[in-house]
Amino acid sequence: MKGEVRNPTTVWLVAIFTCGLGPLYYFYTMFTELKNYLGRDDINPIVELLIAWVCAPYALMRLGGYIQEARQRSGVANAENNWVNYLLFLFACGFGWAKIQEDMNSIWQGGGGAPATF
């Protein structure tokens, strides 16, 4: 099951202008999509959301690992773990959200994800 392809710029702007509420929504959505795509029952989006609320850098590290696994499974070239890049970009005006969404889109577009809704 593929996830939804989203516009990375829109994800970035929502993350900035919602003062932290948008990223929590994206954490939940991304973990749900990765859980469905990877078929792993050990990924619990609610627990991951709570981890993100308490310690966002640790949650980003976990998200990076799951994205790496999904990229390898989808056959994306250079499927290295980018969690350090996510952390660096996160502190650069939240631009990491656009980078994370680009990586998620590369997974979904590899096998035809749902079309973007915004």
Side-chain angles (χ1 to χ4, degrees), residues 78-102:
N78 298 326
E80 70 276 354
N81 190 338
N82 290 324
W83 69 269
V84 173
N85 292 338
Y86 300 156
L87 289 176
L88 292 174
F89 282 123
L90 179 68
F91 296 111
C93 296
F95 189 70
W97 290 106
K99 174 69 172 133
I100 291 169
Q101 190 58 54
E102 286 175 6

Side-chain angles (χ1 to χ4, degrees), residues 9-29:
T9 304
T10 304
V11 171
W12 175 53
L13 291 174
V14 168
I16 290 174
F17 291 114
T18 60
C19 300
L21 296 177
L24 291 176
Y25 167 76
Y26 287 123
F27 262 118
Y28 178 80
T29 303

Side-chain angles (χ1 to χ4, degrees), residues 31-77:
F31 277 113
T32 301
E33 290 173 348
L34 288 168
K35 175 185 178 179
N36 293 336
Y37 180 73
L38 296 172
R40 292 182 53 177
D41 292 332
D42 62 328
I43 301 173
N44 185 340
I46 299 292
V47 171
E48 301 294 344
L49 180 64
L50 292 173
I51 291 171
W53 187 58
V54 173
C55 184
Y58 180 68
L60 279 170
M61 183 181 74
R62 292 173 58 92
L63 180 63
Y66 293 135
I67 289 174
Q68 176 190 14
E69 182 181 341
R71 290 181 75 186
Q72 289 172 343
R73 190 174 291 183
S74 70
V76 173

